[in-house]
Amino acid sequence: MLRVVLTLLLNSLSLIIVSYLFEDFHLNGFGTALLASFILSILNLLVRPVLIVLTLPLTAFTFGLFLFVMNAITLMMTQALIGQNFVIDGFGTAIIAAIILALLNLILNKLIRDRVTS
């Protein structure tokens, strides 16, 4: 349970960082970031596996780079569910944000994991 909460907090922090990096990525506060993180986690659990199976040939053809497009799709779905508190202006911004979110989550999870195991 603690791991789930920590993951949600780290994802929220990543979303806030991305909102500061991009003018076209609007996020109203930490509460919205936490809600977006929760919804994104649910979508990644339920919708993303279906998308991966349906687009497997394309993902294999692009050597896995199409997964960033799928991450952008889930980001766009999240912002559609949340409404005006979370807005991404354009699919290109969503793709770049998905790449940066993946990198930030990788770095933050690595830092936390190293601290917890030490």
Side-chain angles (χ1 to χ4, degrees):
M1 183 67 177
L2 179 63
R3 184 177 179 94
V4 172
V5 172
L6 187 59
T7 301
L8 285 174
L9 291 173
L10 290 176
N11 289 341
S12 300
L13 178 62
S14 296
L15 286 168
I16 290 171
I17 291 170
V18 169
S19 74
Y20 282 113
L21 292 175
F22 294 105
E23 209 173 278
D24 295 335
F25 194 97
H26 308 283
L27 191 62
N28 292 340
F30 184 74
T32 303
L34 196 57
L35 177 62
S37 177
F38 179 74
I39 291 174
L40 196 57
S41 297
I42 297 297
L43 289 174
N44 282 336
L45 184 69
L46 300 175
V47 175
R48 194 165 181 265
V50 175
L51 290 175
I52 288 174
V53 169
L54 291 175
T55 62
L56 194 57
L58 186 57
T59 302
F61 182 72
T62 61
F63 301 108
L65 293 176
F66 192 72
L67 292 174
F68 290 120
V69 173
M70 295 206 313
N71 287 344
I73 290 169
T74 56
L75 266 176
M76 295 297 281
M77 290 171 70
T78 301
Q79 67 104 27
L81 290 171
I82 292 178
Q84 293 190 0
N85 289 328
F86 180 39
V87 177
I88 302 171
D89 296 330
F91 193 70
T93 302
I95 290 175
I96 295 169
I99 293 168
I100 293 176
L101 281 171
L103 291 172
L104 284 172
N105 284 332
L106 178 74
I107 292 167
L108 290 173
N109 284 321
K110 175 75 173 148
L111 288 173
I112 295 299
R113 193 173 306 131
D114 286 347
R115 300 265 184 209
V116 171
T117 57
S118 297

